[in-house]
Amino acid sequence: MKTLKIVLGLSALTSPALAGIPFARGEIDFTAVATATYDSNVFGRRDATEDFYGTLAPRVLFARRAGQIDAEASAGISFIRYADQTQLKADNVDAVAMLRTNAAEARNFSGSVSAAYRESSDASSDINARIKAKAATFSGQGALVTGPRTDVALNVDYTDTERDVASDQQLLATVFRFGYKDFLVGNNLHLIGNYDETRSSGRNLRGAGLNQKSYSVAAGLSRAFYHDLIRAQVSYGYRVLNRSRSETSTGVTRQSGPVFTASIDGPFLPPRYFPKIKSKFELSYQESSTPGVNDTGNKTLAGLLSLGWQARPNTVVRFSAIRSQRLSVDDLTVVSSSLLLGLEQTIRYNLTGSVSAGYNWDTFRGVNRSDETILFNAGLNYLFARTWTATASYRLSSATSTLRQANYDRHLVSLSLAHRF
């Protein structure tokens, strides 16, 4: 009965309003999404607490496609209300803006800048508790052709995250790249420099804030194959990390070592023999670029392998295998390995469905913890009356861990109705 009240109440609020409004050589649009959700484990831990909640998410969007600069911006708010756990109610604001050069207008220069702000509230598998977070991000990319055979590029990414529990974190990553074409019989030469910074408030098992600066340089070669459809690249370099003494029990303040990366961008399976398969491969061997507390540095093999098979005109099968390192919300290094197999099916012109199953294995460095999680997802998407979309989804997470409270099952069932005005 509570679920029915939530659905009826939110659906009544998605009544038609203004159509697209011309503004500044662009157009403003409005959307609203009403969602009813059943969550069997709202805190994501061993002692499960179930609840129903409803979400209403109105949003305004602006898009401009004119002149040398394209612009996009959007802002919205998600009103979330729970049937029983009323203390979890949230009004989460998010906004994003982006400027980028128009590829048709620009010649020797391309670039983009974007900024975003997002509030969120959800269960975290890192600490098996709900977290309210506020994250501000900035990203900038620029590339310049400096001559017939040379070019330079600069990428900057910055994230500042505040949390009500666990650590606040600030991460800065910069990459400078110099390219030289037709070096050594058709190969391209790349010289790459990285500078990274990581800081945290220190709400972790050591009570020590992260304070890290990382420098690295690398040289690499790349080459295109199969009519430029495939690009392979290898690089080798050296990295130095400076960190505060309190982050580890050994008091180490400097870590250094080699960095090796290899990648294939594009179909690594020859299109001539596998015309319906799209593939991608990446590989690296290095220490974590943002090691957590008690992580004194162990090199790890990381990479990505993905395959997409157009089995039939309306059927796509996808497979991916990923191994990566990340920084947890409580400042620990997490090495993650995951496998995912999925199927996407166009049932009819306005009805699509998807199903996927996966396995994820997380190892937390610095503590005796390892998590294994089985994932299952299924969904249907139905477009009707041109501006209305109905969606039904189901998600299962079943975790087994060496940490007692991290053994849990979580079922999420959602029904949503979206309208573009």
Side-chain angles (χ1 to χ4, degrees), residues 29-275:
D29 289 304
F30 299 88
T31 64
V33 182
T35 306
T37 302
Y38 166 73
D39 190 339
S40 71
N41 196 335
V42 295
F43 297 101
R45 62 191 182 200
R46 182 180 176 86
D47 300 323
T49 301
E50 66 177 3
D51 206 349
F52 295 91
Y53 64 91
T55 305
L56 175 64
R59 191 169 195 83
V60 57
L61 307 96
F62 170 74
R64 177 183 183 272
R65 304 283 189 271
Q68 295 185 354
I69 304 295
D70 293 338
E72 294 180 6
S74 65
I77 182 169
S78 296
F79 301 98
I80 306 173
R81 297 295 183 267
Y82 284 77
D84 296 324
Q85 304 293 319
T86 56
Q87 77 279 8
L88 299 180
K89 73 175 184 179
D91 301 325
N92 294 328
V93 175
D94 71 283
V96 60
M98 180 177 66
L99 298 174
R100 63 170 174 262
T101 56
N102 189 319
E105 297 287 340
R107 292 187 177 181
N108 295 329
F109 176 79
S110 64
S112 66
V113 292
S114 63
Y117 172 80
R118 181 174 182 266
E119 298 175 353
S120 62
S121 52
D122 200 359
S124 169
S125 60
D126 288 345
I127 60 174
N128 302 106
R130 291 190 72 86
I131 295 178
K132 290 184 177 180
K134 301 177 180 178
T137 61
F138 171 83
S139 179
Q141 298 88 33
L144 176 66
V145 177
T146 55
R149 301 171 67 181
T150 60
D151 61 87
V152 294
L154 176 66
N155 294 354
V156 179
D157 293 288
Y158 176 75
T159 302
D160 185 350
T161 305
E162 296 180 1
R163 302 182 176 96
D164 62 340
V165 294
S167 267
D168 301 337
Q169 296 172 342
Q170 298 83 41
L171 294 89
L172 171 68
T174 61
V175 181
F176 176 79
R177 173 184 164 279
F178 170 79
Y180 188 89
K181 296 180 180 179
D182 295 329
F183 177 82
L184 292 180
V185 195
N187 293 303
N188 297 331
L189 171 69
H190 301 285
L191 303 177
I192 304 169
N194 295 71
Y195 172 72
D196 303 324
E197 281 191 19
T198 303
R199 300 180 186 276
S200 81
S201 60
R203 280 182 280 190
N204 52 52
L205 62 89
R206 292 191 59 83
L210 299 180
N211 185 6
Q212 303 174 358
K213 295 182 179 179
S214 172
Y215 310 83
S216 69
V217 293
L221 294 175
S222 67
R223 188 180 183 91
F225 300 91
Y226 292 105
H227 309 288
D228 292 337
L229 292 176
I230 302 175
R231 182 167 294 275
Q233 179 173 315
V234 294
S235 67
Y236 183 84
Y238 195 80
R239 174 175 171 269
V240 176
L241 170 71
N242 295 318
R243 63 192 307 184
S244 66
R245 187 178 302 275
S246 59
E247 293 179 24
T248 64
S249 58
T250 60
V252 61
T253 60
R254 182 183 175 91
Q255 296 172 214
S256 59
V259 178
F260 170 78
T261 61
S263 67
I264 296 179
D265 187 7
F268 63 85
L269 296 177
R272 179 180 176 181
Y273 301 105
F274 303 91

Side-chain angles (χ1 to χ4, degrees), residues 288-363:
S288 172
S289 58
T290 55
V293 293
N294 283 349
D295 181 4
T296 55
N298 290 306
K299 292 182 174 59
T300 298
L301 190 67
L304 163 69
L305 171 66
S306 67
L307 296 170
W309 175 36
Q310 189 77 45
R312 295 180 179 178
N314 295 329
T315 306
V316 178
V317 179
R318 300 188 188 278
F319 170 79
S320 65
I322 302 173
R323 183 174 172 84
S324 61
Q325 299 184 82
R326 63 179 177 86
L327 186 66
S328 73
V329 298
D330 54 346
D331 297 337
L332 292 172
T333 301
V334 183
V335 179
S336 297
S337 302
S338 63
L339 298 172
L340 184 66
L341 178 64
L343 172 69
E344 300 172 9
Q345 177 71 43
T346 301
I347 302 171
R348 49 182 297 184
Y349 73 95
N350 62 344
L351 179 63
T352 59
S354 64
V355 62
S356 65
Y359 168 82
N360 192 74
W361 178 24
D362 290 336
T363 302

